[in-house]
Amino acid sequence: MFLELTNVNKTYKTGDVSFKALANINFSLEKGNIGVILGPSGSGKSTLLNVIGGIDITDNGAIFVDGKDITELNDRELTNYRREEVGFIFQFYNLIPNLTVYENVEVAANISKNPMKVEEVLDAVGLLDLKDRFPKELSGGQQQRVSIARAIIKKPKLLLCDEPTGALDYNNAIEILKLLTDINKKYNTTILIITHNTAISGIANRIVRLRSGEIIENKYNDNILPAERVEW
Amino acid sequence: MVMVLHKKITRTLLEHKAQYIGSILLIIISSLLFTALNISGVNIQDNLAVFRVNNVVEDASFITQNKIDNVAELEEKFQLILEERKQYDYKFDEQATLRILSETKKVDKYAVVKGHLLQKSREILIDQAFAKAHDLDINDELMLENNLFTIVGFMSTPDYIYPLKSVSDMLKNPETFGVAVIAKNDFSKFQNGLTFYSVKFLDSNKSQFKNYLTRNNIIINWLDKEDNNRITFVDGDVNSAIQMGRILPVAILILTILLVSIILWRLLKTEYTEIGTLYTLGYRKKEILNHYLSYPLIISLVGGIIGTIIGLLLVKPMIELFAAFYNLPVITTKFELTYVVLSLFLPLAFLIPSTIFIINRILKKPPLELMRGGGNKVKINFIERRLHLNRFRFSTKFKIREIVRNIPRTILMVAGIAFATMLLLVGFATKDSMDYLIEKNYKDIYQYNYDYIFNTMQFSDDIGGEKLNLAPYTSQEFKNGEKTFVIYGIEKDASLITFTDQNGNKLSLDQTIITKSLADKMKLKVGDRISVENKLNEKKFSITINKIADSYLADVIYMPLDEFNKLNDLPKGSFVEVISKEWLNIDESILLSYTSKEDIINSYNILIKPLRYMIGVIGFTAFIIGLIVIYVVTSLVIEENKKNISLLKILGYQQRELYSLILNSNTILVIIGFLISIPLLFVSLEQYFNAITAEMNFSFPVKLDEINMVIGFVVIILTYQISKFLNKGKINKISMVDTLKSKAE
Ligand SMILES: Nc1ncnc2c1ncn2[C@@H]1O[C@H](COP(=O)(O)OP(=O)(O)OP(=O)(O)O)[C@@H](O)[C@H]1O
Ligand SMILES: [Mg+2]
């Protein structure tokens, strides 16, 4: 298994109150697969993604990524893991507003050992013409493509997407999903997508459903749809 | 409702305490300097004025060939106060001279600083600095030429406020020279005392009086108060302290305006939505304005009050220090309410209007725009848009954009660094300039070791050494009226004074040479012709400037001795000064003064000592100001980049890489600030030196050694490194997860 979580727990403490955000999570994903995590707001989806991405810590349990338990890594190793192996895509893009499109992609290329060429990636997401614009001069869909370009330039093994289409209209959302499936095919990247939009699970190999921090459903998808046939 | 809002102030102040404490510290420094320098300066000025009036400072002193017998008659006739005085230079030890003056009753009356007035014979009063330097105290006994005197007190007199052996000296040295007063009758115990006169004019009868003396007697030496360094030096120093007390605080306040404006701007921008919400809740603009004005108000008041209090505490020690340095009695010290009020009011006057302007600009926006958080939207300014950075490395691009993005912040950084560097180097430059003046003059120009000035005109050829004649002159061709200077007659083949021009070419002494300092002050060029008037006998003639000598130590003109004597109707070969490499055995009774080069160099080294502390104190202040500015600017950079830093962490930037990207973006600004400070320092110091030496008889070229520039640079870089280090924690504290939740720009 490329990604494997066993008995992962996560508790938030605010003052004396503690809140269980993830309760005994077990699931796995094969290399090159697309996984979708569904669940209502507050069910712990983002928390789960963050611990897999190494930007938040768990209470206990193990998270194996490509054979390595990332909960065992120290700060430095965790940083290196994020830098070389994971790509992030967020609902609100999180681009750096004062850098151009080109430079926003360079932010990631700059620290990667063996990145692709910025032009090549921008071409792949269809933004080469807009490379000197600033984020606020782009549409939401275009901004999300920049963030995808930024995530894939280092050729990550694992791509983590938190509501990648959450802020987009239908057409733009489909474009982004298509881009993600293309990347999945072209580079054999394992992708984990978080969404509360059930329709999106059509493109996934595996579908996991969360509620109140617990997995309530975990299944294979036998009937995978190409992105352009997804509808809602 | 408004009260509730105010609770927020404390929270905000605490949350960004470093920024607000930094601003308060700057205001403290500003108010402290303002209060301390101005109040002590004004007190000293008042003291000086009172002392000069009460103790009747002379208008001039002079020496005549024959004793004046009709003092009372002359006083009546010319409406003046005239006092005959005696002085005797007692060789206190190997190197020290104690000048014994006869007690004065009418002019230049002595004041007792400690102890009591002269009451009977064999009592002596001496100046405190000399006493201290030679371990003398009240009730000690002093053996003067076989006569035992008892020290009954310390005194100061208006004509020896700055105790110089010779009036043309610049450097006092209590180790080698001091003054004392004894009763007139006791003076008969000393042979060979010099008799001279001090005069105070009650009417403007100076020229009539001099005319009378020239006709009925011979004036050997005439010294106006204005040309007497012992009397005038103190004024320049007090003035420069007061000047500093105005320039520095205002400069610091301007820096503070920039700092506080940027901090407030930043605060308001993060609170756009809150402001919009308050509007919709029915708050009036004025109420919100008042709320935000509390920040500058608190900063200015806290800083102003603390600074003024510390400043006031420093007033008394500063006055005492000053009074002790100059031999001055402290008659009164006043609290000077005006300056206290100003010191409290100035920070408010500077900060409130500028912050009202900033706050108003934001409050003007429609509530809806504010609600949408318009302020958090990033604006790309036109410079950023025009930058074509594609050929640079990523980190370079990032840093360039960081600098260009917030122009006020960038200006603050450069201005802050430039100001701190200037302050840091001003002490060094002062010392280097003085060193240059002394070195250049006493090593390169004046090569004699001993200098003798006679109390009467000499004609004899067998004294030895090289002969000079001299007299004080005035010229009307000066920007503010009259300028006084000395003209020397020098032998054509003299070898102990060597002048060079700007290019280092040696000037021959068979022509009329003017020093650079005098030429600059009078705006004279080679070939100019000026008319001059001898101050001793009012003889007038014109001279043509042949060469300008690269010398700043004195405002003087040199011409060939024979020509000098001819123009002044003096016998060929007459002279009053002799300079020599070797010590000459000259009877002291015919000498007016005698100086050795060694004395001068020693005096200089002693005088320069307190300057080292000054350099230290100023340097430390500069360091603190630099630290505050860099620290606050860096923390602002971090705050503005909070989201970006969080993102960079997610993307896998290591701590070291983050530090370098975020903290080092200002390195270039620090270097730019340093580089522009150097020419700025030269220009402003030149102005400053010119202003304080305009009325003195020398000038100050600005010099700064490379090594001190390097030291300045190292200190500034160190300051920068320290504030970066202090800010590292802030970067580490930024969480990766939190920022992901909020909607991005
Ligand atoms: N820092 C925190 N401190 C305390 N509780 C938190 C913290 N972060 C998240 N939580 C809680 O953990 C739970 C899971 O949050 P999470 O962000 O993972 O939800 P989500 O499924 O991503 O929801 P959404 O679809 O709205 O993004 C929520 O109930 C939230 O209140
Ligand atoms: Mg979420």
Side-chain angles (χ1 to χ4, degrees):
Chain A
M1 278 300 150
F2 177 76
L3 173 69
E4 186 160 8
L5 284 77
T6 46
N7 300 323
V8 172
N9 286 283
K10 166 85 189 170
T11 317
Y12 283 116
K13 288 193 187 66
T14 8
D16 329 320
V17 195
S18 56
F19 178 84
K20 193 126 193 150
L22 294 177
N24 213 25
I25 301 290
N26 289 285
F27 87 92
S28 52
L29 196 62
E30 275 172 57
K31 179 145 185 72
N33 274 5
I34 296 180
V36 164
I37 296 174
L38 294 168
S41 184
S43 57
K45 304 183 298 288
S46 295
T47 309
L48 180 60
L49 194 85
N50 290 348
V51 297
I52 296 174
I55 59 177
D56 207 346
I57 48 164
T58 56
D59 301 341
N60 49 41
I63 302 172
F64 281 92
V65 179
D66 206 11
K68 179 168 60 188
D69 183 0
I70 64 159
T71 61
E72 299 287 317
L73 302 181
N74 65 23
D75 262 4
R76 219 192 138 68
E77 292 163 336
L78 213 50
T79 306
N80 277 331
Y81 160 71
R82 289 199 302 271
R83 157 196 305 235
E84 296 298 340
E85 296 177 37
V86 209
F88 286 94
I89 294 162
F90 306 101
Q91 176 177 9
F92 299 119
Y93 329 126
N94 284 318
L95 300 176
I96 298 183
N98 288 84
L99 296 183
T100 61
V101 166
Y102 186 96
E103 289 158 2
N104 261 288
V105 178
E106 237 183 337
V107 170
N110 179 46
I111 51 164
S112 170
K113 275 206 201 86
N114 187 18
M116 291 191 266
K117 276 208 146 50
V118 179
E119 275 87 358
E120 184 189 334
V121 180
L122 282 178
D123 198 25
V125 299
L127 285 180
L128 199 52
D129 294 342
L130 305 181
K131 71 178 166 61
D132 287 327
R133 291 219 192 154
F134 288 92
K136 63 173 243 177
E137 298 161 344
L138 299 178
S139 74
Q142 289 166 333
Q143 288 192 45
Q144 192 59 298
R145 285 182 216 209
V146 178
S147 111
I148 292 173
R150 180 179 68 190
I152 62 171
I153 191 155
K154 57 185 157 190
K155 294 181 279 187
K157 297 177 194 156
L158 180 60
L159 199 54
L160 301 173
C161 318
D162 193 344
E163 303 269 13
T165 60
L168 300 175
D169 65 18
Y170 176 77
N171 286 330
N172 271 308
I174 295 298
E175 289 284 320
I176 294 298
L177 289 181
K178 194 167 163 344
L179 191 53
L180 288 175
T181 50
D182 287 352
I183 289 163
N184 170 257
K185 293 208 185 70
K186 193 166 170 192
Y187 304 109
N188 196 30
T189 314
T190 312
I191 302 181
L192 194 57
I193 301 173
I194 280 180
T195 177
H196 57 251
N197 185 348
T198 322
I200 289 174
S201 57
I203 63 165
N205 304 93
R206 175 172 290 279
I207 301 165
V208 176
R209 204 178 281 271
L210 280 184
R211 184 183 294 152
S212 308
E214 289 176 56
I215 295 185
I216 53 163
E217 190 186 354
N218 181 353
K219 63 169 189 192
Y220 257 122
N221 183 7
D222 306 318
N223 181 21
I224 297 175
L225 296 174
E228 49 272 46
R229 301 231 340 252
V230 172
E231 276 180 39
W232 61 84
Chain B
M1 228 158 67
V2 178
M3 285 310 291
V4 180
L5 210 51
H6 282 341
K7 282 193 182 155
K8 194 174 136 296
I9 296 175
T10 344
R11 272 181 220 141
T12 312
L13 288 177
L14 286 176
E15 204 174 315
H16 306 278
K17 47 181 171 310
Q19 293 169 12
Y20 294 103
I21 291 175
S23 317
I24 290 174
L25 272 176
L26 284 183
I27 295 182
I28 290 179
I29 298 176
S30 162
S31 293
L32 182 159
L33 288 174
F34 184 83
T35 316
L37 290 173
N38 281 297
I39 297 188
S40 47
V42 167
N43 264 300
I44 296 282
Q45 270 181 338
D46 289 354
N47 263 311
L48 258 172
V50 172
F51 182 45
R52 283 173 176 160
V53 171
N54 288 355
N55 296 55
V56 197
V57 65
E58 66 182 35
D59 283 325
S61 57
F62 58 92
I63 300 170
T64 50
Q65 189 89 33
N66 310 310
K67 189 172 153 62
I68 300 177
D69 298 318
N70 53 345
V71 169
E73 184 191 323
L74 290 177
E75 283 184 330
E76 175 63 35
K77 181 168 178 186
F78 295 102
Q79 284 300 300
L80 45 80
I81 310 173
L82 183 63
E83 181 150 16
E84 183 193 275
R85 305 177 64 185
K86 292 210 156 72
Q87 79 173 47
Y88 173 74
D89 280 0
Y90 168 66
K91 278 211 107 29
F92 185 83
D93 58 27
E94 269 299 278
Q95 41 155 351
T97 304
L98 182 61
R99 178 163 297 165
I100 320 274
L101 298 164
S102 63
E103 180 186 14
T104 43
K105 292 266 160 70
K106 296 192 283 184
V107 183
D108 294 329
K109 295 192 281 184
Y110 67 89
V112 174
V113 179
K114 204 176 151 197
H116 64 76
L117 293 167
L118 296 175
Q119 287 160 346
K120 46 184 197 284
S121 183
R122 292 178 186 273
E123 286 184 342
I124 188 167
L125 291 161
I126 66 172
D127 87 67
Q128 199 159 4
F130 186 86
K132 212 171 148 199
H134 296 89
D135 285 327
L136 296 172
D137 209 343
I138 297 176
N139 294 330
D140 282 358
E141 298 195 317
L142 211 57
M143 183 69 106
L144 305 177
E145 317 280 11
N146 297 323
N147 298 296
L148 201 60
F149 280 84
T150 309
I151 300 175
V152 295
F154 300 137
M155 63 89 202
S156 63
T157 121
D159 60 334
Y160 276 95
I161 288 172
Y162 191 66
L164 293 173
K165 196 170 170 196
S166 146
V167 274
S168 58
D169 282 354
M170 294 191 310
L171 313 165
K172 66 157 199 159
N173 180 0
E175 304 271 347
T176 59
F177 182 75
V179 284
V181 174
I182 58 172
K184 264 205 169 105
N185 291 337
D186 282 341
F187 227 92
S188 52
K189 298 184 173 74
F190 306 103
Q191 281 119 38
N192 310 333
L194 172 79
T195 301
F196 66 102
Y197 297 89
S198 290
V199 59
K200 163 95 191 160
F201 297 103
L202 300 174
D203 214 341
S204 42
N205 275 337
K206 186 165 103 179
S207 52
Q208 286 93 317
F209 178 60
K210 279 171 85 172
N211 250 326
Y212 168 87
L213 285 177
T214 323
R215 272 183 282 109
N216 300 289
N217 204 326
I218 296 165
I219 305 176
I220 292 173
N221 191 304
W222 180 277
L223 178 67
D224 281 319
K225 175 174 74 180
E226 291 74 26
D227 306 328
N228 190 340
N229 291 351
R230 295 168 189 145
I231 297 177
T232 57
F233 256 29
V234 64
D235 296 308
D237 276 17
V238 185
N239 275 334
S240 66
I242 291 178
Q243 287 291 323
M244 272 291 166
R246 298 194 176 150
I247 298 167
L248 279 183
V250 168
I252 297 173
L253 279 182
I254 290 172
L255 212 58
T256 318
I257 290 185
L258 262 172
L259 190 74
V260 172
S261 301
I262 290 170
I263 293 172
L264 261 192
W265 182 255
R266 170 86 208 138
L267 179 71
L268 283 158
K269 270 177 101 175
T270 55
E271 295 186 349
Y272 262 36
T273 330
E274 285 93 321
I275 297 170
T277 315
L278 288 175
Y279 267 145
T280 55
L281 284 176
Y283 274 83
R284 263 181 275 279
K285 191 172 147 189
K286 199 157 166 279
E287 290 164 331
I288 304 177
L289 176 72
N290 283 343
H291 165 72
Y292 283 104
L293 273 183
S294 342
Y295 294 98
L297 207 66
I298 291 173
I299 295 172
S300 334
L301 281 179
V302 172
I305 291 171
I306 298 179
T308 308
I309 292 174
I310 302 179
L312 280 174
L313 292 177
L314 288 176
V315 166
K316 210 170 164 308
M318 279 184 65
I319 293 178
E320 277 164 8
L321 211 74
F322 204 90
F325 184 77
Y326 289 100
N327 193 15
L328 266 183
V330 179
I331 305 159
T332 57
T333 45
K334 268 184 291 174
F335 176 65
E336 299 294 342
L337 191 65
T338 334
Y339 286 98
V340 175
V341 172
L342 266 178
S343 168
L344 292 172
F345 176 74
L346 267 184
L348 289 171
F350 271 76
L351 279 185
I352 300 296
S354 54
T355 43
I356 286 183
F357 174 75
I358 299 243
I359 299 169
N360 259 330
R361 269 189 63 178
I362 287 179
L363 294 189
K364 247 185 6 217
K365 293 184 197 288
L368 214 62
E369 192 190 324
L370 292 167
M371 284 279 273
R372 284 204 208 99
N376 287 328
K377 285 235 174 63
V378 173
K379 288 207 180 68
I380 313 283
N381 66 38
F382 73 102
I383 310 177
E384 271 181 284
R385 201 175 293 282
R386 275 152 176 254
L387 283 176
H388 293 293
L389 302 171
N390 290 342
R391 66 207 138 97
F392 292 109
R393 278 171 46 220
F394 172 73
S395 56
T396 316
K397 283 193 239 188
F398 189 92
K399 287 171 196 161
I400 294 176
R401 292 208 183 276
E402 201 51 53
I403 289 167
V404 173
R405 185 164 124 205
N406 194 330
I407 302 292
R409 193 184 70 203
T410 300
I411 293 173
L412 169 66
M413 187 74 171
V414 173
I417 296 289
F419 180 70
T421 315
M422 279 172 68
L423 207 56
L424 191 67
L425 294 180
V426 82
F428 286 125
T430 309
K431 183 172 177 302
D432 289 345
S433 308
M434 289 175 74
D435 280 349
Y436 172 83
L437 197 67
I438 296 294
E439 288 264 317
K440 168 109 187 150
N441 284 288
Y442 290 103
K443 295 231 169 88
D444 301 352
I445 298 179
Y446 303 119
Q447 281 142 11
Y448 53 84
N449 290 323
Y450 301 96
D451 177 6
Y452 306 85
I453 299 178
F454 299 93
N455 55 23
T456 51
M457 200 61 76
Q458 303 294 309
F459 308 98
S460 152
D461 255 342
D462 30 75
I463 283 178
E466 293 179 1
K467 297 172 199 147
L468 292 167
N469 209 342
L470 66 124
Y473 290 82
T474 56
S475 174
Q476 302 297 335
E477 291 151 43
F478 184 53
K479 56 178 173 2
N480 345 316
E482 216 180 53
K483 171 75 192 158
T484 302
F485 46 85
V486 173
I487 299 182
Y488 283 90
I490 184 168
E491 291 172 298
K492 283 180 187 161
D493 55 353
S495 64
L496 297 176
I497 295 183
T498 325
F499 286 116
T500 55
D501 63 13
Q502 291 301 82
N503 307 323
N505 303 319
K506 200 173 159 202
L507 302 177
S508 67
L509 295 172
D510 56 0
Q511 50 192 343
T512 303
I513 299 171
I514 183 169
T515 57
K516 184 93 171 65
S517 68
L518 183 58
D520 284 351
K521 279 180 198 167
M522 296 189 65
K523 306 218 176 332
L524 291 176
K525 306 181 302 293
V526 167
D528 283 353
R529 196 166 174 78
I530 50 165
S531 50
V532 298
E533 178 181 332
N534 188 325
K535 288 184 84 170
L536 300 183
N537 55 19
E538 317 219 304
K539 224 187 130 38
K540 297 188 177 96
F541 54 87
S542 310
I543 46 176
T544 305
I545 306 299
N546 297 126
K547 286 282 151 58
I548 295 176
D550 189 21
S551 164
Y552 295 88
L553 194 56
D555 293 349
V556 295
I557 293 176
Y558 283 83
M559 64 166 66
L561 182 61
D562 290 343
E563 197 182 327
F564 178 91
N565 286 338
K566 208 161 114 199
L567 283 169
N568 286 291
D569 291 333
L570 292 167
K572 194 171 155 62
S574 48
F575 61 95
V576 288
E577 182 176 0
V578 158
I579 52 177
S580 160
K581 263 220 169 347
E582 287 81 38
W583 190 75
L584 302 175
N585 192 5
I586 301 175
D587 183 0
E588 288 211 17
S589 66
I590 61 167
L591 284 182
L592 180 65
S593 75
Y594 145 80
T595 34
S596 81
K597 189 151 113 182
E598 207 188 324
D599 286 350
I600 292 172
I601 307 272
N602 285 340
S603 312
Y604 176 69
N605 288 334
I606 285 178
L607 196 78
I608 211 85
K609 250 189 216 151
L611 199 64
R612 281 202 204 109
Y613 301 112
M614 200 186 87
I615 294 174
V617 171
I618 294 182
F620 185 72
T621 316
F623 172 76
I624 296 293
I625 290 176
L627 195 64
I628 293 171
V629 172
I630 306 177
Y631 178 83
V632 172
V633 171
T634 314
S635 79
L636 283 168
V637 170
I638 294 174
E639 217 166 87
E640 282 173 35
N641 276 300
K642 214 164 170 175
K643 262 187 105 78
N644 298 342
I645 293 170
S646 165
L647 183 80
L648 292 172
K649 282 188 177 180
I650 291 173
L651 290 178
Y653 276 72
Q654 296 285 7
Q655 261 180 18
R656 194 173 27 83
E657 291 161 336
L658 275 178
Y659 295 157
S660 128
L661 212 54
I662 305 294
L663 296 178
N664 289 350
S665 58
N666 287 318
T667 311
I668 183 76
L669 299 184
V670 173
I671 293 171
I672 292 174
F674 177 84
L675 288 180
I676 62 172
S677 78
I678 304 275
L680 226 54
L681 175 74
F682 271 80
V683 171
S684 42
L685 260 190
E686 209 164 86
Q687 295 289 328
Y688 183 64
F689 285 171
N690 284 346
I692 56 177
T693 56
E695 308 300 323
M696 297 182 177
N697 61 2
F698 68 101
S699 48
F700 239 156
V702 183
K703 298 282 163 189
L704 181 60
D705 281 358
E706 279 88 0
I707 178 73
N708 288 335
M709 280 191 213
V710 172
I711 292 176
F713 187 69
V714 169
V715 172
I716 287 295
I717 291 294
L718 205 71
T719 316
Y720 178 52
Q721 295 299 348
I722 292 174
S723 53
K724 280 198 324 194
F725 178 79
L726 293 175
N727 269 308
K728 279 185 179 171
K730 286 217 175 77
I731 291 188
N732 297 344
K733 249 193 273 168
I734 294 174
S735 142
M736 284 184 273
V737 194
D738 288 354
T739 39
L740 289 180
K741 286 183 188 150
S742 58
K743 191 175 181 317
E745 263 99 56

